[in-house]
Amino acid sequence: MSERCYRCFKPKSACLCGYTKEIDCGIKFVLLMHQKEAKRQRTGTGHIAHISLKNSEILVGFEFQGNHRLRQLLSDPQYFPVMMYPGEGAWTARKEGFKEAIAGRTLLVLILDSTWFCARKLIEHNPFLLDLPRLSFYGDYRSIFTFKHEPRPEYISTVESCYYLIKEMQECGLCDSHANPEPMMDAFKQMIKFQLQAENERILGIRPNSHNYDAKYNKIREIPSFE
């Protein structure tokens, strides 16, 4: 097993820490990471978001109802907690009354960090999360995560969710307009390049398969420049 960087949780040969910078946008992000996501971390983007976002936190688990830290955050009067989850009545940065609802508090954004299958399981076992005000995008986005195939085109990764939310909040004057979220996406793009390069090298026999399912990937992939 390759040696890992325990900050970005990627192999040291593909460490992403040098590609990002800390972002202080004035939003408190809390990533609820499924325990399986915490163990896999092959293509997970939660740690990229975490090392990029000042004052963000990752809470790992499956049952969050009794999580002491989460309950502490939700009950803290300095925060306006929201669950990043689509649905009728969900807030967006443009929705009338959103700024008034926040009322000067710091926006506390909870994001499920897992595969879409595991995200559904997290909601099923933590229904209290959907009792929180929901937050969604007003824009329509598509993921650049070419290494993975999501079940629906509008599904985007954790790091993209944080990025687009910051951009929308900045456009509406709801967070620091001087904060630059681009390095977070730069690190994400570099991760995609690393993953595709590694996949191509396995197909060419330059490196061994590291997982049983690697053998099903047998077509050389184009590595995007993102320019």
Side-chain angles (χ1 to χ4, degrees), residues 30 47 57 87 95 97 101 106 108 133 137 142 150 169 176 181 214:
V30 177
H47 282 288
E57 297 186 37
K95 193 167 184 178
T106 298
L108 171 67
F137 303 113
R142 295 294 180 268
E150 300 294 4
M169 292 293 169
D176 187 354
D214 282 336

Side-chain angles (χ1 to χ4, degrees), residues 87-156:
E88 187 176 351
W91 289 111
T92 71
R94 283 182 177 171
K95 193 167 184 178
E96 185 178 354
F98 183 52
K99 183 176 182 179
E100 290 72 20
I102 298 173
R105 291 169 287 177
T106 298
L107 194 61
L108 171 67
V109 181
L110 305 182
I111 297 180
L112 299 178
D113 184 47
S114 68
T115 63
W116 288 101
F117 174 80
C118 289
R120 290 195 299 269
K121 293 297 182 182
L122 284 176
I123 289 298
E124 289 173 6
H125 285 80
N126 300 275
F128 78 96
L129 292 174
L130 295 188
D131 291 334
L132 296 169
R134 298 189 196 183
L135 181 64
S136 190
F137 303 113
Y138 58 73
D140 184 24
Y141 304 108
R142 295 294 180 268
S143 180
I144 63 168
F145 208 165
T146 54
F147 186 73
K148 291 180 70 176
H149 298 284
E150 300 294 4
R152 296 181 62 176
E154 66 269 24
Y155 288 175
I156 61 177

Side-chain angles (χ1 to χ4, degrees), residues 1 9-10 13 25 30 33 37 53-54 83 103-104 108 110 137 142 151-152 157 163 181 188 200 209 216:
M1 178 180 289
F9 279 78
K10 303 300 178 188
S13 60
C25 62
V30 177
M33 183 179 288
E37 186 77 4
L53 297 166
K54 185 175 182 179
M83 183 70 206
L108 171 67
L110 305 182
F137 303 113
R142 295 294 180 268
R152 296 181 62 176
S157 66
Y163 172 80
F188 178 46
N200 289 345
N209 290 343
K216 72 179 182 179

Side-chain angles (χ1 to χ4, degrees), residues 9 22 25 27 49 54 58 60 74 90 93 110 118 144 160 167 181 202 221:
F9 279 78
E22 189 176 68
C25 62
I27 299 173
K54 185 175 182 179
I58 293 178
V60 178
L74 293 178
L110 305 182
C118 289
I144 63 168
E160 289 170 306
K167 296 290 284 185
R202 283 192 292 271
R221 304 278 294 278

Side-chain angles (χ1 to χ4, degrees), residues 165-178:
L165 181 62
I166 291 170
K167 296 290 284 185
E168 290 193 351
M169 292 293 169
Q170 288 177 326
E171 288 174 8
C172 296
L174 296 175
C175 76
D176 187 354
S177 62
H178 299 292

